[in-house]
Amino acid sequence: MISGASSGLGRALAIEFAGPGATLGLLGRNRERLDETAARVREKGAVVRSAAVDVRDRDAMRSFLLDFDAAAPIDCIIASAGMTMVTPVPGGVEDLTKAEELFDVNLNGAMNTIAPIAPLMRRRRAGQIVLFGSLAAFAPPPDSPSYAASKAALVAFALATRALYRADGVSVSVVCPGFVDTPMAGSYSSWKPLMMSAEDAARRIRRGLDRRKAIIAFPLPLYLAARFQQWLPDSLRTAAMLRFRAVQRLPVR
């Protein structure tokens, strides 16, 4: 089961996991793009059931997820749906009036995705839960503090839940990518070092999930740099973070 499957990494993951014998549930807000993803997945031999649902709609999410699980018990649920927000003008600050929507999508949307299925996985003593953080959780960019905060919350939640669910046979992982060539990354202008394709990122995520890693972070040089900057003196860290500013292009989810 993959949310955010109508574009970006969610779409790439759907295609990566597709194949004969696979049954995929795909969720996305854009019906046309979701149908395109579903068609590509079917071409690879997978059985697909999809629904155009907003992850913020708790009741609709719960209804679809439980119906799907009753027909094909979910062994892996990937909450990849999300949105970003950066400063609207060069040198400015983010529009905090839009932070509520961002948290609703990134945090509540993720909870709406996993909440109906987690108890069932624990009861079956099997399954994988996958949340999406970001390298921004470790090195918060000054041009997208709300986005970074939402991703840091998901990292903390995933690591805590991983420890809690281990005894129930359920694995929890958090994906923390760097820059990936997706519509979300294209929604803002900034320096984007080591940016990779969505297909490459999906392959890395799948390898990490096969190993049931706690944190699936890539590319490694950026991950190490993000962790290292946490130990820098505040003056150096601030100077480094402010050296490359980002500015919004289009609001993309």
Side-chain angles (χ1 to χ4, degrees):
M1 178 65 64
I2 304 172
S3 70
S6 56
S7 67
L9 264 177
R11 172 183 168 85
L13 284 167
I15 295 170
E16 173 67 25
F17 279 100
T23 300
L24 273 69
L26 305 180
L27 293 162
R29 292 190 314 127
N30 187 296
R31 168 53 72 181
E32 182 178 355
R33 294 202 306 260
L34 189 63
D35 287 345
E36 292 173 358
T37 303
R40 181 71 181 91
V41 167
R42 290 190 181 99
E43 288 174 2
K44 295 188 67 177
V47 175
V48 182
R49 183 178 172 189
S50 63
V53 180
D54 191 319
V55 292
R56 293 172 294 181
D57 189 336
R58 180 184 303 172
D59 292 338
M61 290 287 289
R62 180 176 179 83
S63 177
F64 178 81
L65 290 165
L66 292 181
D67 284 351
F68 184 95
D69 188 83
I74 298 169
D75 58 1
C76 181
I77 186 160
I78 303 175
S80 67
M83 64 177 291
T84 190
M85 180 172 69
V86 300
T87 49
V89 295
V93 298
E94 71 175 12
D95 183 355
L96 294 178
T97 64
K98 298 181 179 179
E100 181 179 2
E101 180 186 10
L102 181 142
F103 287 124
D104 201 16
V105 172
N106 290 0
L107 296 179
N108 293 338
M111 296 303 108
N112 291 341
T113 303
I114 68 172
I117 302 303
L120 303 180
M121 287 184 168
R122 294 176 63 208
R123 194 176 306 150
R124 293 190 288 254
R125 301 191 62 80
Q128 284 185 282
I129 295 171
V130 187
L131 296 168
F132 264 67
S134 168
L135 292 188
F138 307 106
D143 293 308
S144 50
S146 295
Y147 172 78
S150 72
K151 295 303 183 180
L154 288 170
V155 170
F157 178 87
L159 295 178
T161 308
R162 178 182 176 87
L164 186 64
Y165 285 9
R166 185 188 300 271
D168 299 317
V170 178
S171 175
V172 181
S173 300
V174 60
V175 179
C176 295
F179 297 103
V180 181
D181 190 7
T182 64
M184 182 179 288
S187 69
Y188 60 91
S189 299
S190 75
W191 182 50
K192 300 169 185 174
L194 302 179
M195 187 162 71
M196 66 182 63
S197 69
E199 293 74 20
D200 186 10
R203 288 190 291 268
R204 292 173 185 242
I205 293 168
R206 184 171 188 174
R207 288 197 298 267
L209 293 179
D210 287 344
R211 295 166 58 190
R212 294 182 177 263
K213 293 182 65 176
I215 300 176
I216 303 171
F218 55 86
L220 183 59
L222 282 188
Y223 177 53
L224 294 177
R227 299 306 296 262
F228 174 73
Q229 65 82 37
Q230 294 176 318
W231 298 96
L232 291 175
D234 183 63
S235 58
L236 290 179
R237 185 188 64 81
T238 300
M241 299 302 290
L242 289 174
R243 183 174 181 183
F244 303 100
R245 302 296 300 269
V247 63
Q248 180 179 353
R249 286 180 181 168
L250 296 170
V252 175
R253 295 181 183 173

